[in-house]
Amino acid sequence: MKRFEWRDRIHALDAEADCEEIVRILGTHEFPWDIEQALGLALYRTYAVPSIGELLAHTREFTERTQHRYDDTALILNDIMEHGFGPGRGRDALRRMNQMHRSYDISNDDYRYVLSTFVVMPVRWLNDLGYGWRRLSDHEIAASTNYYRRLGRHMGIKEIPETYAEFHELFDSYEREHFAYTEGGRAVSDATLGLMVDFYPAWQRPLVRPFTKALLDDRLITAFRYPEPSAAWRALAAGALRLRARVVRFMPPRTESRWARQSPNIRSYPGGYDPSRIGTFPKGCPVPHGMDTVEVPATGARVPAPGQALATEGAPVEAPEATGAD
């Protein structure tokens, strides 16, 4: 397989009709590591919006069960991308995500902003900052935008932007208007950074923390009231990622898909999982029939009991429910 063969396959597909397949190729063959980092930073940015950061702190999921919260988010988004929006595992993951979201009072504006981070941050990482081994084309950006527009419709989000330029304007204006310091947002940020650092061997952690903070732009640094990273750390972090990109450019193309569920950083479900049985079940949120739950004292949420992330043989199947606007 030639280095640019995946790119050529993408450009033979339609950016609207085939957006799911294009996003799968980009996320599992062309840029699996890069897009994982970019989407992680996309979610991280949302903590700086007071209504989002304070809600996440209130649930205490990100501060008390950080690994589980990271895993649940990554696995649900992975299953939607891997299996699509139609009936089956992808639809189950989408339903589970919508069930959790509906348990809280989240504004449509916040939903739209979060969606915009998923559209904008991979482009910023790969193209604007130069961390990708090649740039995304306009065709690929349009396909990714269409994919997240489709996801937003399944989530019931209203007034979704139609183009990448409109998403970028929403992203930028919402952050300028809303980013602000809150104790809850800072607590969630600290917990998330702590988890990211713990992914590395102990001897690397003193370097990983300042390296990671050096990747945060001034808008985030100000919102979380972190000390300004030194110019040296900023140059080192950006230089290391651009050097990596040049090395990757000369590597052979990835022939096997690399899914987020295969990451060694996903640790909560070593025996496997059913997307309808992971995450949290706040008050009023339907629990799959036959699944035992336990209450987490620190959060008050109910979560699958040990061994319950997979249904036992012969357990009744939960009746399907609507997933939002289709």
Side-chain angles (χ1 to χ4, degrees):
M1 180 179 245
K2 297 180 179 179
R3 190 66 180 101
F4 290 90
E5 190 167 331
W6 285 117
R7 182 202 62 182
D8 294 342
R9 290 190 191 184
I10 287 171
H11 285 80
L13 298 171
D14 185 85
E16 173 65 47
D18 302 316
C19 65
E20 293 182 40
E21 180 61 20
I22 291 172
V23 166
R24 288 188 196 104
I25 294 172
L26 291 173
T28 68
H29 289 281
E30 290 287 75
F31 308 103
W33 185 85
D34 294 284
I35 290 180
E36 181 181 338
Q37 307 313 306
L39 294 182
L41 285 173
L43 283 173
Y44 179 83
R45 297 189 75 81
T46 67
Y47 310 161
V49 176
S51 55
I52 298 175
E54 285 295 289
L55 172 62
L56 295 175
H58 176 73
T59 68
R60 300 178 71 178
E61 280 293 302
F62 273 91
T63 53
E64 303 291 342
R65 300 178 69 248
T66 314
Q67 179 74 60
H68 272 85
R69 192 63 177 83
Y70 172 89
D71 292 353
D72 292 341
T73 301
L75 292 173
I76 285 173
L77 291 174
N78 174 96
D79 280 5
I80 295 171
M81 182 175 74
E82 184 174 358
H83 300 284
F85 299 110
R89 195 176 178 95
R91 178 67 61 87
D92 291 344
L94 180 62
R95 183 183 298 117
R96 183 80 274 272
M97 180 173 69
N98 285 342
Q99 287 172 344
M100 288 187 282
H101 286 162
R102 291 193 196 111
S103 300
Y104 303 101
D105 184 16
I106 304 172
S107 72
N108 189 69
D109 285 344
D110 279 353
Y111 274 124
R112 292 201 316 147
Y113 166 66
V114 174
L115 192 66
S116 79
T117 68
F118 278 71
V119 174
V120 172
M121 286 304 294
V123 181
R124 173 178 287 188
W125 180 278
L126 296 167
N127 287 16
D128 301 344
L129 297 174
Y131 298 159
W133 67 268
R134 68 169 177 86
R135 293 175 60 84
L136 289 173
S137 67
D138 290 344
H139 179 75
E140 291 166 326
I141 293 172
S144 180
T145 301
N146 290 332
Y147 174 84
Y148 286 108
R149 279 176 47 77
R150 191 172 294 181
L151 175 62
R153 290 195 297 270
H154 281 287
M155 294 174 65
I157 301 175
K158 302 176 179 63
E159 300 177 358
I160 299 172
E162 295 186 2
T163 66
Y164 176 79
E166 292 177 3
F167 270 110
H168 191 281
E169 171 57 29
L170 168 63
F171 171 91
D172 188 57
S173 62
Y174 207 75
E175 291 191 348
R176 281 189 280 105
E177 181 178 353
H178 292 279
F179 267 21
Y181 176 82
T182 61
E183 292 185 1
R186 171 63 184 262
V188 174
S189 171
D190 288 345
T192 302
L193 284 175
L195 178 67
M196 292 178 181
V197 171
D198 286 345
F199 288 154
Y200 294 85
W203 66 271
Q204 294 181 7
R205 292 171 191 168
L207 299 176
V208 173
R209 187 177 294 275
F211 184 97
T212 302
K213 285 187 175 180
L215 297 177
L216 306 182
D217 56 58
D218 291 341
R219 190 179 283 175
L220 277 176
I221 291 292
T222 300
F224 292 133
R225 294 185 183 174
Y226 286 138
E228 177 69 24
S230 68
W233 270 110
R234 288 219 185 268
L236 176 63
L241 289 172
R242 289 172 184 146
L243 176 61
R244 175 193 173 274
R246 285 194 285 271
V247 172
V248 173
R249 185 179 179 87
F250 292 99
M251 295 173 64
R254 181 180 292 276
T255 57
E256 298 292 328
S257 299
R258 178 186 180 274
W259 300 102
R261 59 178 168 76
Q262 297 169 320
S263 170
N265 295 334
I266 305 290
R267 302 167 177 172
S268 299
Y269 307 104
Y273 69 97
D274 181 325
S276 66
R277 300 171 71 91
I278 63 175
T280 61
F281 296 85
K283 185 177 180 180
C285 191
V287 176
H289 297 302
M291 189 181 85
D292 295 330
T293 62
V294 295
E295 182 174 324
V296 179
T299 68
R302 301 202 71 83
V303 297
Q308 293 293 300
L310 281 174
T312 57
E313 186 176 353
V317 179
E318 180 185 19
E321 71 174 53
T323 61
D326 288 341

